[in-house]
Amino acid sequence: MSTIPSEPNQSDKWIKAPDPDLYINPLPVRIWHWLNALGFVVLILSGTQIRYANLFNLMSFETAVRTHNWVAFAVIANYFVWLGFYLFSDKITVYHPELNMKKFFTKAFAQMEYYSFGIFKGAKGPHKVLPYDKFNPLQSITYQIVMLLVVPVQFATGLMMWDIKRFEGAIQMLGGLKVVDTVHVLIYIFFVSFTLVHAYMGALGKTPATHFREMFTGYEEEH
Amino acid sequence: MKVGSTAGDSAGNKQAELSVLTMFFICCMVFSGVLYAQETTEPENPATEIPAAEEKIEPAVIEDAKAVAEDAQVDVKSRLEEILKKNAKCLRCHNRDKSKLLEDGESMSIQVHREEYLNSAHGEISCVSCHRAIGNRKHPSKSTNISISSEREYSVEMNDSCRKCHKTKFTQYKGSVHAALVAQGSTKAPVCTNCHSAHAVETMEDYHVTTGFPCKNCHETIFNAYSDSVHGEARINGNTIRDSHIQAPICSDCHKSHEITALGIGDPLRATCIGCHENVVLLHTQWLPNAGTHLDIVSCAVCHAPFAKRRFDLHLYDNVAKIPVVQKEGEEPLQQQLQAIADEGSDGDPLEIWKQRSGMGQQGQAVDISLRSRMEVMSGVTAHQIANKSFAVRTCDSCHEPNSRQRQNVTVSIPGADGRKQSFEADREALSNVEAANSISDFYALGGNKNKLLDYMLLLALLSGLAIPIGHFTLGKMIKEKINKGEQ
C-alpha cells in the first residue's frame, strides 16, 4: 500500500496525517500509552528509592512512598482506559486478527528471524501494520501476557501492601506479606528490563524516532 | 479479518474514542472519590478494652453491711475498746526499740511505733487479726521454741494473712509478675508489706510522685527515666494533660497496681497508651502510610522515645489459635532448644526443625506457626523516656533505610509461663536469609529485610535490559559494515 505520495519533509510529518487508512493508534490508546509510560517511570524510580534508600537519594523515603501510592492509583485508573477501549470497541481484534495457531507460529518465527538477521540487512519487517492487525505475533503475545496477567498481579500485590491491614485476609491466603512483596519485586525487576528493551525496540523503526512519532500522531508511517 | 478498513470507519472510531474518554474521566472521578473516602473515614479505634480493674462491691453487700452495722452499733464501741486493750498488751513490749536475732544470724527490728500503727489504715484492727499464729499462743520465743528463719521468709509467710480481708486485691496480686517471682523463690520481688509497709499500713492512693515510693525502691533507673519523661514532668509539676480531668500517668496507671504486668509484649502496652491518647489512631492515619500496621507492630516508644536504641523483636505466632506461642512450663528454654538443633549441624532452618519435633501437629492439630516481628526499644529504661510529641521521630529512614537496619539488633522473644518475656539475641542476617524466608513470611519491612537473591536478579535484569539493546545495536552495525564492504 504505497499511499504515502512522496517522502514528506520533516515538519510535515508532525502536522499532516500521512494516510487516513493507517490510523493505527486511536486517541484513548495514545493517552493510555503515554500516561502509562510516565507512570511506570515514576513508579520504577520511586520504587527503587523505597527499596534502595541506601544507594539513591532522589527523594525522601516518605515522599517516595507517597508518590508511589498516588501514581500507582493513577496508573490503575489509566489501565481501565486501555481495558475499556478494547472491551467496548471493535479494536479488541488487534490482539487476535485471526485465531490460527499455525499461522501465528509461522509469523512468530518469521518475526524472530527478522529481528535476528533481516533487520541488519535492511530487509522489510514481515508484519504489515494495519488498523485491525496492529501487532506482530511477538508483540501480540507479549502485550497480552503483560496487560492481562503481569500488570493486574502487580496492581493487586501493590494494593495489598498499600493497606496491609485492610487486605490482611488476602495476604495471609497468599502466604504472607513476604510472598506478596516478593511477587511485587519480581514484577518490578521484569519491568526494569522490559522498559529498556521496549524503548530500544521502539527505536527500530525507519528512523529511531519513527515509532515514537507514530505513537504521538496515531498514524503509521512505514509502509 | 478486517484488513484494509477504509476511512469510513474513522467517524465510528472517533465516536468510540469519545465514549472511552468519557469513561476514563468517570473512572478517575470514582477512584479519587474512593480514595478521598478512605482518607477521611475515621478508622475504627482498635484499642482493646481497658479492663476496669477496680474492686467493685455489690450493692447487696453494702446493704448487708449497713444492716449488720446498725445491729451491732451498740457493740462497736465496746469491741473497739477491747481491740485497743488487746493491742495495748502487744504494744507494751513492741513499742520499744527492740530487735530479735533470727536463724540466719541477722537481727530484725520488732518495734511497732504505737502512734504510727494507731494512725495507720489498720489502726483499729487487732494485732492477732494478722498475727494469728501468735494469737494461738505461739509467740516466737525461747520458751515456745519457735524461731524466725529470716526477715524475708517471715514477710512471705505473713503475706497470706492479707488475703482474709483483701480478697480481690490479693487475687490480682497472685496473678502478677511480682507474685510469680516470689513463687520462683526470688528474694527481692515484693510482697504486700514491701509496698504498703507492715505496720504503718498505707493505701497507695497518694503515690509519692517525687520520691517514687514504692516502685523506685527496686526500679530506680526506670523511675528516673520516667520522672524525666513528658509524663513524669507533667505529673511532678502537677500539670494535667489536655483535658483537665486527666492527669499524667504514674507507674500504676500503665502497669496496674496489684496485677502488675511487664508491658513489653505489644498489644497491652499499645492499648494502655491509646487508653488515654484516644485520637492517636486517627492522627497517625492522617500522615503515616499503613498507619494501622505501624501501630500494630511498632511499639509507641520506638518513635516517641527519640533517643532509644531499637531492635527487631521476633516472636512465634500461632496462626491457627491467633495468639503468640508461649513457653510451656518446665520446658527447656527455646533459645537452648534452637541452639541444640543448630549445633547438630542439621540442614535447614532450626525453627522449622523445632516445629516438626516439638510435637505440635500431632493428633491432627494444624501447625501454622510463623515468626512475627515487632519494633521495640532495647531496654525497659528507654521505654519510659517518652518525650514531648514534637520530638518524636518522624523520619521513615530511621527504620526503613537499609543501613539503619545494620545498626539495629535482632532478638527473639518468647513469653515465659509466668508471663515475663524472655529475649535472646539472634543473627541480624536472619531477616534477609533466604533459608529463613518461610519462617518469617509474615514479616517484611520496606527497605529492610530484603532478600539478597532479588537484588542480584534486579542487577541481572538491569544488565540484560542494557546488554540486549547494546548487543543488538552493535551486531547490526557490524553486519551492515560487512555488507557495505562486500558491496564495495
Side-chain angles (χ1 to χ4, degrees):
Chain A
M1 258 192 228
S2 51
T3 34
I4 301 172
S6 60
E7 190 70 9
N9 66 43
Q10 208 64 19
S11 61
D12 278 354
K13 280 183 185 169
W14 288 96
I15 307 153
K16 267 192 200 164
D19 184 348
D21 283 354
L22 291 179
Y23 185 54
I24 302 296
N25 294 308
L27 189 60
V29 172
R30 270 139 53 208
I31 289 179
W32 161 76
H33 177 266
W34 289 113
L35 283 181
N36 199 56
L38 184 71
F40 265 57
V41 170
V42 176
L43 287 175
I44 285 175
L45 288 178
S46 55
T48 308
Q49 178 68 74
I50 290 166
R51 197 170 162 80
Y52 298 98
N54 52 333
L55 303 179
F56 303 97
N57 203 5
L58 289 168
M59 52 192 126
S60 77
F61 189 91
E62 197 181 339
T63 316
V65 170
R66 220 169 281 285
T67 311
H68 199 80
N69 286 347
W70 280 104
V71 174
F73 277 111
V75 167
I76 291 174
N78 193 29
Y79 175 80
F80 288 98
V81 173
W82 174 85
L83 192 68
F85 176 78
Y86 283 112
L87 284 182
F88 297 109
S89 77
D90 59 353
K91 288 277 179 167
I92 195 161
T93 50
V94 296
Y95 284 99
H96 293 285
E98 223 180 346
L99 287 168
N100 182 335
M101 290 309 263
K102 199 182 157 200
K103 209 165 176 186
F104 176 84
F105 281 112
T106 318
K107 280 190 78 182
F109 280 114
Q111 193 66 35
M112 277 191 247
E113 208 182 342
Y114 167 69
Y115 284 134
S116 315
F117 308 106
I119 192 168
F120 302 133
K121 296 176 187 160
K124 270 208 149 196
H127 178 73
K128 205 176 233 181
V129 178
L130 291 166
Y132 285 91
D133 190 6
K134 176 164 126 181
F135 299 125
N136 70 49
L138 296 182
Q139 282 177 312
S140 168
I141 195 74
T142 309
Y143 293 160
Q144 280 181 80
I145 292 170
V146 166
M147 289 305 287
L148 297 175
L149 182 72
V150 182
V151 165
V153 169
Q154 190 70 336
F155 288 164
T157 50
L159 199 66
M160 285 176 203
M161 288 192 286
W162 167 70
D163 196 340
I164 296 163
K165 254 189 118 72
R166 185 179 313 208
F167 299 106
E168 209 171 15
I171 292 172
Q172 282 307 317
M173 224 172 63
L174 292 170
L177 188 54
K178 188 121 184 153
V179 174
V180 174
D181 169 76
T182 304
V183 172
H184 197 76
V185 173
L186 282 171
I187 297 177
Y188 147 79
I189 292 170
F190 164 74
F191 274 121
V192 167
S193 192
F194 178 89
T195 311
L196 292 169
V197 175
H198 183 71
Y200 170 70
M201 294 187 88
L204 292 181
K206 195 168 186 181
T207 72
T210 310
H211 289 327
F212 288 91
R213 202 165 45 233
E214 286 166 359
M215 208 56 218
F216 276 109
T217 62
Y219 288 94
E220 172 75 11
E221 295 173 16
E222 248 179 284
H223 262 281
Chain B
M1 214 168 129
K2 292 188 177 179
V3 180
S5 298
T6 56
D9 279 356
S10 67
N13 281 346
K14 289 270 145 76
Q15 224 167 13
E17 285 174 16
L18 261 178
S19 60
V20 170
L21 266 182
T22 321
M23 233 179 51
F24 168 61
F25 288 118
I26 292 169
C27 277
C28 288
M29 300 274 281
V30 170
F31 256 90
S32 25
V34 170
L35 273 179
Y36 182 72
Q38 281 158 358
E39 292 286 317
T40 48
T41 312
E42 193 169 328
E44 282 170 39
N45 190 345
T48 48
E49 264 179 53
I50 311 290
E54 282 310 305
E55 212 171 346
K56 274 188 186 151
I57 302 169
E58 298 276 327
V61 175
I62 299 171
E63 288 304 312
D64 280 355
K66 273 185 190 165
V68 171
E70 273 165 25
D71 289 345
Q73 213 164 21
V74 202
D75 289 342
V76 167
K77 213 174 164 191
S78 58
R79 271 183 53 216
L80 198 60
E81 274 170 10
E82 203 183 310
I83 288 166
L84 286 174
K85 215 186 272 175
K86 269 190 189 170
N87 284 352
K89 212 169 158 186
C90 303
L91 286 170
R92 204 176 300 145
C93 293
H94 283 281
N95 190 33
R96 294 184 210 152
D97 184 10
K98 284 178 96 175
S99 299
K100 185 175 176 61
L101 193 67
L102 309 178
E103 281 175 26
D104 64 356
E106 300 283 320
S107 77
M108 174 175 82
S109 166
I110 53 166
Q111 185 180 28
V112 178
H113 294 280
R114 184 199 302 266
E115 296 307 311
E116 255 181 32
Y117 181 71
L118 292 178
N119 289 329
S120 81
H122 284 174
E124 292 175 3
I125 292 171
S126 75
C127 303
V128 290
S129 293
C130 300
H131 296 277
R132 266 168 288 176
I134 292 168
N136 293 336
R137 302 177 191 287
K138 284 180 183 169
H139 191 291
S141 71
K142 275 175 195 160
S143 62
T144 56
N145 212 13
I146 295 173
S147 59
I148 295 167
S149 52
S150 73
E151 190 171 352
R152 170 73 182 179
E153 208 158 286
Y154 191 63
S155 303
V156 174
E157 200 180 294
M158 283 301 295
N159 206 37
D160 218 36
S161 62
C162 305
R163 185 208 298 267
K164 201 171 111 193
C165 301
H166 304 282
K167 260 191 188 131
T168 313
K169 294 271 160 73
F170 196 83
T171 315
Q172 287 174 350
Y173 165 77
K174 275 294 179 189
S176 74
V177 66
H178 284 160
L181 286 169
V182 171
Q184 282 171 18
S186 158
T187 53
K188 285 176 183 165
V191 292
C192 304
T193 50
N194 288 102
C195 298
H196 294 279
S197 122
H199 299 104
V201 181
E202 286 183 75
T203 63
M204 286 285 112
E205 270 162 23
D206 298 314
Y207 181 88
H208 300 261
V209 185
T210 40
T211 62
F213 179 82
C215 307
K216 192 182 172 181
N217 285 3
C218 297
H219 306 281
E220 192 177 353
T221 44
I222 286 188
F223 181 82
N224 291 342
Y226 156 79
S227 60
D228 289 338
S229 76
V230 66
H231 289 148
E233 275 186 8
R235 184 67 177 224
I236 289 161
N237 296 331
N239 294 340
T240 52
I241 285 184
R242 296 179 301 127
D243 303 326
S244 55
H245 62 280
I246 296 179
Q247 276 201 307
I250 51 170
C251 311
S252 61
D253 286 323
C254 302
H255 294 276
K256 313 232 175 67
S257 41
H258 294 99
E259 65 275 48
I260 302 259
T261 48
L263 280 175
I265 311 162
D267 291 345
L269 174 61
R270 193 185 73 139
T272 305
C273 298
I274 294 176
C276 290
H277 302 278
E278 290 155 346
N279 57 346
V280 288
V281 178
L282 182 65
L283 285 175
H284 284 89
T285 310
Q286 282 166 359
W287 71 274
L288 182 64
N290 268 316
T293 307
H294 275 112
L295 289 176
D296 270 0
I297 60 163
V298 182
S299 190
C300 303
V302 166
C303 303
H304 289 276
F307 303 111
K309 227 180 147 202
R310 304 174 191 107
R311 67 186 158 119
F312 288 101
D313 191 33
L314 300 166
H315 60 270
L316 292 165
Y317 193 83
D318 186 333
N319 294 315
V320 179
K322 298 203 181 304
I323 45 161
V325 175
V326 176
Q327 178 96 52
K328 286 178 202 135
E329 206 154 348
E331 200 181 54
E332 201 186 347
L334 181 69
Q335 178 182 15
Q336 286 166 23
Q337 293 184 48
L338 291 179
Q339 192 58 52
I341 293 170
D343 290 345
E344 285 170 19
S346 344
D347 287 336
D349 181 8
L351 184 71
E352 292 296 323
I353 298 169
W354 175 80
K355 271 199 271 182
Q356 284 160 15
R357 288 185 192 172
S358 65
M360 283 178 295
Q362 287 174 359
Q363 296 141 12
Q365 278 173 286
V367 191
D368 189 8
I369 288 174
S370 57
L371 272 175
R372 293 194 164 187
S373 175
R374 286 183 54 81
M375 262 323 261
E376 297 278 5
V377 290
M378 275 304 276
S379 73
V381 175
T382 47
H384 292 84
Q385 292 169 329
I386 305 292
N388 186 296
K389 77 170 183 183
S390 56
F391 297 109
V393 175
R394 231 201 100 153
T395 47
C396 312
D397 307 48
S398 42
C399 291
H400 288 285
E401 200 268 312
N403 287 339
S404 73
R405 298 307 173 98
Q406 294 306 316
R407 295 191 292 271
Q408 278 156 11
N409 293 18
V410 178
T411 55
V412 179
S413 295
I414 184 161
D418 61 3
R420 275 191 310 153
K421 204 163 69 165
Q422 298 160 354
S423 297
F424 50 90
E425 280 213 29
D427 191 353
R428 269 180 206 135
E429 292 302 311
L431 296 182
S432 49
N433 194 329
V434 180
E435 211 170 67
N438 188 38
S439 307
I440 54 167
S441 61
D442 282 321
F443 172 59
Y444 177 73
L446 285 178
N449 54 330
K450 285 186 305 188
N451 185 334
K452 287 206 174 111
L453 192 66
L454 290 177
D455 293 348
Y456 295 127
M457 282 174 75
L458 174 67
L459 199 65
L460 200 69
L462 198 64
L463 287 178
S464 66
L466 293 171
I468 291 170
I470 293 170
H472 194 260
F473 180 75
T474 322
L475 199 68
K477 235 180 167 179
M478 276 160 58
I479 292 174
K480 263 182 203 159
E481 272 170 23
K482 230 178 186 179
I483 292 170
N484 287 345
K485 264 186 193 167
E487 279 172 2
Q488 281 162 14

